[in-house]
Amino acid sequence: MPASKSRKSEEDLLLQDLGRNVTTASSVIFYINALLVSVVPIWVFWRIQQLDPRSAFIIYILGAAASTYMVAFAYKNVKHILKHKIAISRDEGVSREVNNQLNNSANGKKINKKERDERVLWKKNQVADYEATAFSIFYNNVLYILILLGASFYLLRNFSPRSNYVLSTGIAAGLVALFSTGS
């Protein structure tokens, strides 16, 4: 019975690494970054488009909340897609690094092949998770800002500032979320 229980926990760990679920820490990072990038348009529309925050408070809050949710959704999707690609590309380098560390340590010579492989897999997942998180945030932020600026200053330039804000943030966040669902 203990062997099947340990196999079940190993399977759960593997599924956790391969699943779309993100850790609580990653989720907090995603929502904080999404909120920060979602409030940038408020400054742009307040200073450049002259849309006063007191008169458009509700619109600003609703627009920032909706775009925060959609951009965080995009972060998660892009991270999931990239994590596996990065893990495959970093496999050899991470394996070499972990093996060198274990060979140079006093306890490293005593570790069996299974434990060594588990440490390599853990380190590879850690590196892939970190790099996928960073690139996902960078990529989606750049895409969101570029679409927002293009929509607000070129596509919707003849609209009233209120309509321009609602439509440009909606278009930018929606397209970023849509583009993140592709592979």
Side-chain angles (χ1 to χ4, degrees):
M1 190 71 179
S4 66
K5 194 172 207 174
S6 68
R7 181 176 293 147
K8 182 70 173 163
S9 66
E10 288 176 12
E11 290 172 359
D12 289 341
L13 288 173
L14 182 61
L15 287 174
Q16 180 182 352
D17 287 338
L18 297 175
R20 283 197 178 266
N21 297 336
V22 295
T23 62
T24 305
S26 289
S27 189
V28 168
I29 290 169
F30 286 159
Y31 277 102
I32 289 172
N33 279 292
L35 180 63
L36 291 174
V37 80
S38 294
V39 298
V40 168
I42 294 173
W43 183 86
V44 169
F45 278 86
W46 174 28
R47 290 300 188 190
I48 297 172
Q49 300 275 359
Q50 302 298 316
L51 184 57
D52 186 40
R54 290 177 293 222
S55 65
F57 182 74
I58 300 296
I59 293 171
Y60 280 154
I61 295 297
L62 293 176
S67 65
T68 297
Y69 175 76
M70 286 191 268
V71 171
F73 173 78
Y75 289 157
K76 291 175 189 176
N77 287 340
V78 171
K79 178 184 177 182
H80 175 72
I81 293 167
L82 288 176
K83 184 176 178 183
H84 303 295
K85 292 178 183 178
I86 291 171
I88 290 168
S89 68
R90 300 288 186 260
D91 185 34
E92 187 178 323
V94 170
S95 297
R96 192 175 330 117
E97 178 187 341
V98 170
N99 286 328
N100 287 340
Q101 287 176 350
L102 291 175
N103 289 338
N104 293 337
S105 70
N107 297 342
K109 309 242 190 271
K110 300 174 188 172
I111 294 176
N112 62 11
K113 175 139 176 68
K114 184 179 179 187
E115 171 111 13
R116 201 174 276 265
D117 290 342
E118 286 177 3
R119 288 189 184 190
V120 168
L121 180 64
W122 178 80
K123 181 69 171 181
K124 183 173 64 169
N125 282 333
Q126 185 182 21
V127 167
D129 188 67
Y130 175 77
E131 289 184 18
T133 299
F135 186 78
S136 175
I137 290 170
F138 171 75
Y139 172 78
N140 287 305
N141 285 352
V142 168
L143 191 61
Y144 176 78
I145 295 296
L146 288 177
I147 293 171
L148 178 94
L149 292 175
S152 65
F153 290 116
Y154 296 105
L155 186 65
L156 304 170
R157 68 177 169 251
N158 295 329
F159 284 61
S160 70
R162 214 175 270 262
S163 301
N164 191 334
Y165 174 77
V166 170
L167 291 173
S168 63
T169 56
I171 289 169
L175 284 177
V176 167
L178 178 67
F179 292 157
S180 74
T181 59
S183 55

